[in-house]
Amino acid sequence: MTTLPAATIAGSPYRSAGWAAITSGVFGIMAFGVLFLAVNLMFQKRPELFGLMDLMFKTHHVGIILQYVFLIPVAFVLHTLARQQFPGLSRATLAVGVVSLSLIVLCALLFIVNVVADDLYTVPQGVLGVWLMVVSRRLSSVLPRGLMRFGMVVGFGLLLVGTFPWRTASLLIPSVSVVRCPPIIPIRRPPRTPLSISSSTSVRFWAS
């Protein structure tokens, strides 16, 4: 397994990225705690708590913003480590990770100002999960095996979270089925018999 010298790591952005990852994790735990409390209040269905629930959901999104902002330098460091092992790795891989992180922050910010739905940020989270699985796999020779597996599990979890809006939409939108209508049979009037003709004539005669 290839490792970097300790002195090099201490004097490089790797240490700063490590602290950024720890800070991101702290904000993530705090955001999840606020979300857990808000969901519990939502199930109580008390109208006087609606304002508090809205504030807690927005606080959760603030935590999401801080969590993923601190992950952006981590994405750069992971890409640098991956390119040391695979020099041919394109910058498009880094762009996917950074753009996904930026979109998560943007969607969470737009929810706070009541522009988009509260779960829209989970869509770029799914893309980030795929990116994290790919990078973790590429860094299998650099990262410890446990950390590599942890990255794969977290990436797969983010991918499942990213499918949540699509699964919810499929449940809310009813399926459209084609119903074949029976053929329309025209109603034919019975032919007028001489008796009916004479009856109608007599009625008109007496009416006149």
Side-chain angles (χ1 to χ4, degrees), residues 68 71 78 93 96-101 104 121-138 148-163:
Y68 286 95
L71 279 181
L78 289 177
T93 307
V96 171
V98 175
V99 170
S100 300
L101 291 168
I104 294 172
Y121 74 92
T122 60
V123 176
Q125 269 187 337
V127 180
L128 180 65
V130 176
W131 176 85
L132 184 59
M133 288 190 291
V134 171
V135 173
S136 298
R137 184 63 180 175
R138 292 292 182 90
M148 185 272 293
R149 291 178 177 177
F150 179 73
M152 296 289 291
V153 172
V154 172
F156 184 71
L158 290 174
L159 177 59
L160 291 180
V161 172
T163 63

Coordinates of all heavy atoms in Angstrom, one line a residue, residues 68 71 78 93 96-101 104 121-138 148-163:
Y68 N -21.8 20.3 3.4 CA -21.3 20.0 2.0 C -20.3 21.1 1.6 O -19.5 20.9 0.7 CB -22.4 19.8 1.1 CG -23.1 18.5 1.3 CD1 -24.2 18.4 2.1 CD2 -22.5 17.4 0.7 CE1 -24.8 17.1 2.3 CE2 -23.1 16.1 0.9 CZ -24.2 16.0 1.7 OH -24.8 14.8 1.9
L71 N -17.0 19.9 2.6 CA -16.6 18.7 1.8 C -15.9 19.1 0.5 O -15.3 18.2 -0.1 CB -17.8 17.8 1.6 CG -18.2 16.8 2.7 CD1 -19.4 16.0 2.3 CD2 -17.0 16.0 3.2
L78 N -9.1 14.3 -2.5 CA -9.3 12.9 -3.0 C -8.9 12.8 -4.4 O -8.4 11.8 -4.9 CB -10.7 12.5 -2.7 CG -11.2 12.3 -1.3 CD1 -12.7 12.0 -1.2 CD2 -10.4 11.2 -0.6
T93 N -13.8 14.0 -13.6 CA -14.1 13.3 -12.3 C -14.2 14.3 -11.2 O -15.2 14.2 -10.4 CB -13.1 12.2 -12.0 OG1 -12.9 11.4 -13.2 CG2 -13.5 11.4 -10.8
V96 N -17.4 16.5 -11.6 CA -18.6 15.8 -11.1 C -18.8 16.0 -9.6 O -19.9 16.3 -9.1 CB -18.6 14.4 -11.6 CG1 -19.8 13.6 -11.0 CG2 -18.7 14.3 -13.1
G97 N -17.7 15.7 -8.9 CA -17.8 15.8 -7.4 C -18.1 17.2 -7.0 O -19.0 17.4 -6.1
V98 N -17.4 18.2 -7.5 CA -17.5 19.6 -7.0 C -18.9 20.1 -7.5 O -19.5 20.8 -6.7 CB -16.4 20.4 -7.6 CG1 -16.6 21.9 -7.3 CG2 -15.0 20.0 -7.0
V99 N -19.3 19.8 -8.7 CA -20.6 20.3 -9.2 C -21.7 19.7 -8.3 O -22.7 20.4 -8.0 CB -20.8 20.0 -10.6 CG1 -22.2 20.3 -11.1 CG2 -19.8 20.9 -11.5
S100 N -21.6 18.4 -8.0 CA -22.6 17.8 -7.2 C -22.7 18.4 -5.8 O -23.8 18.7 -5.3 CB -22.3 16.3 -7.0 OG -22.3 15.6 -8.3
L101 N -21.6 18.7 -5.2 CA -21.5 19.4 -3.9 C -22.1 20.8 -4.0 O -22.9 21.2 -3.1 CB -20.1 19.4 -3.4 CG -19.5 18.1 -2.9 CD1 -18.0 18.3 -2.7 CD2 -20.1 17.6 -1.7
I104 N -25.9 20.6 -4.3 CA -26.6 20.3 -3.0 C -26.7 21.6 -2.2 O -27.8 21.9 -1.6 CB -25.8 19.2 -2.2 CG1 -25.8 17.9 -3.0 CG2 -26.3 19.1 -0.8 CD1 -24.9 16.9 -2.4
Y121 N -32.5 18.6 -2.9 CA -31.1 18.5 -2.7 C -30.7 17.0 -2.7 O -29.5 16.7 -2.9 CB -30.6 19.2 -1.5 CG -31.0 18.5 -0.2 CD1 -30.1 17.6 0.4 CD2 -32.2 18.7 0.5 CE1 -30.4 16.9 1.6 CE2 -32.5 18.0 1.6 CZ -31.6 17.2 2.2 OH -31.9 16.5 3.4
T122 N -31.6 16.1 -2.5 CA -31.2 14.7 -2.5 C -30.9 14.2 -3.9 O -30.2 13.1 -4.0 CB -32.3 13.8 -1.9 OG1 -33.5 14.0 -2.6 CG2 -32.6 14.3 -0.4
V123 N -31.3 14.8 -4.9 CA -31.0 14.4 -6.3 C -29.5 14.5 -6.6 O -28.9 13.5 -7.0 CB -31.9 15.1 -7.3 CG1 -31.5 14.7 -8.7 CG2 -33.3 14.9 -7.1
P124 N -28.9 15.6 -6.4 CA -27.4 15.7 -6.5 C -26.7 14.8 -5.5 O -25.5 14.5 -5.7 CB -27.1 17.2 -6.4 CG -28.2 17.8 -5.7 CD -29.4 17.0 -6.1
Q125 N -27.3 14.5 -4.4 CA -26.7 13.6 -3.4 C -26.5 12.3 -4.0 O -25.5 11.6 -3.8 CB -27.5 13.5 -2.1 CG -27.2 14.5 -1.1 CD -27.9 14.3 0.2 OE1 -29.0 13.7 0.3 NE2 -27.4 14.8 1.3
G126 N -27.4 11.8 -4.8 CA -27.3 10.5 -5.5 C -26.1 10.5 -6.5 O -25.3 9.5 -6.5
V127 N -25.9 11.6 -7.2 CA -24.8 11.7 -8.1 C -23.5 11.7 -7.3 O -22.5 11.1 -7.7 CB -24.9 13.0 -9.0 CG1 -23.7 13.1 -9.9 CG2 -26.2 13.0 -9.8
L128 N -23.5 12.4 -6.2 CA -22.3 12.5 -5.4 C -22.0 11.1 -4.8 O -20.8 10.7 -4.7 CB -22.5 13.4 -4.2 CG -21.3 13.6 -3.2 CD1 -20.1 14.2 -3.9 CD2 -21.8 14.4 -2.0
G129 N -23.0 10.3 -4.5 CA -22.8 8.9 -4.0 C -22.1 8.1 -5.1 O -21.1 7.3 -4.7
V130 N -22.5 8.2 -6.3 CA -21.8 7.4 -7.4 C -20.4 7.9 -7.5 O -19.4 7.1 -7.7 CB -22.5 7.6 -8.7 CG1 -21.8 6.9 -9.9 CG2 -24.0 7.1 -8.6
W131 N -20.1 9.2 -7.5 CA -18.8 9.7 -7.5 C -17.9 9.2 -6.4 O -16.7 8.8 -6.6 CB -18.8 11.3 -7.5 CG -17.5 11.9 -7.5 CD1 -16.7 12.2 -8.5 CD2 -16.8 12.4 -6.3 NE1 -15.5 12.8 -8.1 CE2 -15.5 12.9 -6.8 CE3 -17.0 12.4 -4.9 CZ2 -14.6 13.5 -5.9 CZ3 -16.1 12.9 -4.1 CH2 -14.9 13.4 -4.5
L132 N -18.5 9.2 -5.2 CA -17.7 8.7 -4.0 C -17.3 7.2 -4.1 O -16.2 6.8 -3.8 CB -18.5 9.0 -2.7 CG -17.8 8.7 -1.4 CD1 -16.5 9.5 -1.3 CD2 -18.8 8.9 -0.3
M133 N -18.3 6.4 -4.7 CA -17.9 5.0 -4.9 C -16.8 4.8 -5.9 O -15.9 4.0 -5.7 CB -19.2 4.3 -5.3 CG -20.2 4.1 -4.2 SD -21.6 3.0 -4.6 CE -22.4 3.9 -5.8
V134 N -16.9 5.6 -7.0 CA -15.8 5.5 -8.0 C -14.5 5.9 -7.4 O -13.5 5.2 -7.6 CB -16.2 6.3 -9.2 CG1 -15.1 6.4 -10.2 CG2 -17.5 5.8 -9.9
V135 N -14.4 7.0 -6.7 CA -13.1 7.5 -6.2 C -12.6 6.6 -5.1 O -11.4 6.3 -5.0 CB -13.3 9.0 -5.6 CG1 -12.1 9.4 -4.9 CG2 -13.7 9.9 -6.8
S136 N -13.5 6.1 -4.3 CA -13.1 5.2 -3.2 C -12.5 3.9 -3.8 O -11.5 3.3 -3.3 CB -14.2 4.8 -2.3 OG -14.7 6.0 -1.6
R137 N -13.1 3.4 -4.9 CA -12.5 2.3 -5.6 C -11.2 2.5 -6.2 O -10.3 1.7 -6.1 CB -13.5 1.8 -6.7 CG -13.2 0.5 -7.4 CD -13.1 -0.6 -6.4 NE -12.8 -1.9 -7.1 CZ -12.6 -3.0 -6.5 NH1 -12.7 -3.1 -5.1 NH2 -12.2 -4.1 -7.1
R138 N -11.0 3.7 -6.8 CA -9.7 4.1 -7.4 C -8.6 4.2 -6.3 O -7.5 4.0 -6.6 CB -9.9 5.4 -8.2 CG -10.7 5.2 -9.4 CD -10.1 4.4 -10.5 NE -10.8 4.2 -11.7 CZ -10.7 5.0 -12.7 NH1 -9.8 6.0 -12.7 NH2 -11.4 4.8 -13.8
M148 N -11.7 2.6 2.7 CA -12.2 2.4 1.4 C -13.6 1.8 1.4 O -14.5 2.3 0.7 CB -11.3 1.6 0.6 CG -11.6 1.4 -0.9 SD -12.8 0.1 -1.3 CE -11.7 -1.3 -0.9
R149 N -13.8 0.8 2.2 CA -15.2 0.2 2.3 C -16.2 1.2 2.9 O -17.3 1.2 2.5 CB -15.1 -1.1 3.2 CG -14.3 -2.2 2.5 CD -14.2 -3.4 3.4 NE -13.5 -4.5 2.7 CZ -13.2 -5.7 3.3 NH1 -13.6 -5.9 4.6 NH2 -12.6 -6.6 2.6
F150 N -15.7 2.0 3.8 CA -16.6 3.0 4.4 C -17.1 4.0 3.4 O -18.3 4.3 3.3 CB -15.9 3.7 5.6 CG -16.8 4.8 6.2 CD1 -17.9 4.4 7.0 CD2 -16.5 6.1 6.0 CE1 -18.6 5.4 7.6 CE2 -17.3 7.1 6.6 CZ -18.4 6.7 7.4
G151 N -16.2 4.4 2.5 CA -16.5 5.3 1.4 C -17.5 4.7 0.4 O -18.4 5.3 -0.1
M152 N -17.3 3.4 0.2 CA -18.3 2.7 -0.7 C -19.7 2.6 -0.1 O -20.7 2.8 -0.8 CB -17.7 1.3 -1.0 CG -16.4 1.2 -1.8 SD -16.6 1.7 -3.5 CE -17.5 0.3 -4.1
V153 N -19.7 2.3 1.2 CA -21.0 2.2 1.9 C -21.7 3.6 1.9 O -22.9 3.7 1.6 CB -20.8 1.6 3.3 CG1 -22.1 1.7 4.1 CG2 -20.4 0.2 3.2
V154 N -21.0 4.6 2.3 CA -21.5 6.0 2.3 C -22.0 6.4 0.9 O -23.1 6.9 0.8 CB -20.5 7.0 2.9 CG1 -21.0 8.4 2.7 CG2 -20.2 6.6 4.3
G155 N -21.2 6.1 -0.1 CA -21.6 6.4 -1.5 C -22.9 5.7 -1.9 O -23.8 6.3 -2.5
F156 N -23.0 4.4 -1.6 CA -24.2 3.7 -1.9 C -25.4 4.2 -1.1 O -26.5 4.3 -1.7 CB -24.0 2.2 -1.6 CG -25.2 1.3 -2.0 CD1 -25.4 1.1 -3.3 CD2 -26.0 0.8 -1.0 CE1 -26.5 0.3 -3.7 CE2 -27.1 0.0 -1.4 CZ -27.3 -0.3 -2.7
G157 N -25.2 4.6 0.1 CA -26.3 5.2 0.9 C -26.8 6.5 0.3 O -28.0 6.8 0.2
L158 N -25.8 7.4 -0.2 CA -26.2 8.6 -0.9 C -26.9 8.3 -2.2 O -27.9 9.1 -2.5 CB -25.0 9.5 -1.1 CG -24.3 10.1 0.1 CD1 -23.0 10.8 -0.3 CD2 -25.2 11.1 0.8
L159 N -26.6 7.3 -2.8 CA -27.3 6.9 -4.1 C -28.7 6.5 -3.8 O -29.6 6.9 -4.5 CB -26.5 5.8 -4.8 CG -27.2 5.2 -6.1 CD1 -27.3 6.3 -7.1 CD2 -26.4 4.0 -6.6
L160 N -28.9 5.8 -2.7 CA -30.3 5.4 -2.4 C -31.1 6.7 -2.0 O -32.3 6.8 -2.3 CB -30.3 4.4 -1.2 CG -29.8 3.0 -1.5 CD1 -29.8 2.1 -0.3 CD2 -30.6 2.4 -2.7
V161 N -30.5 7.6 -1.2 CA -31.2 8.8 -0.9 C -31.5 9.6 -2.1 O -32.6 10.2 -2.2 CB -30.3 9.6 0.1 CG1 -30.9 11.0 0.3 CG2 -30.1 8.9 1.4
G162 N -30.7 9.6 -3.1 CA -30.9 10.3 -4.3 C -32.1 9.8 -5.1 O -32.7 10.6 -5.9
T163 N -32.5 8.6 -4.9 CA -33.7 8.0 -5.6 C -35.0 8.3 -4.9 O -36.0 8.0 -5.4 CB -33.5 6.5 -5.8 OG1 -33.5 5.9 -4.5 CG2 -32.3 6.2 -6.5

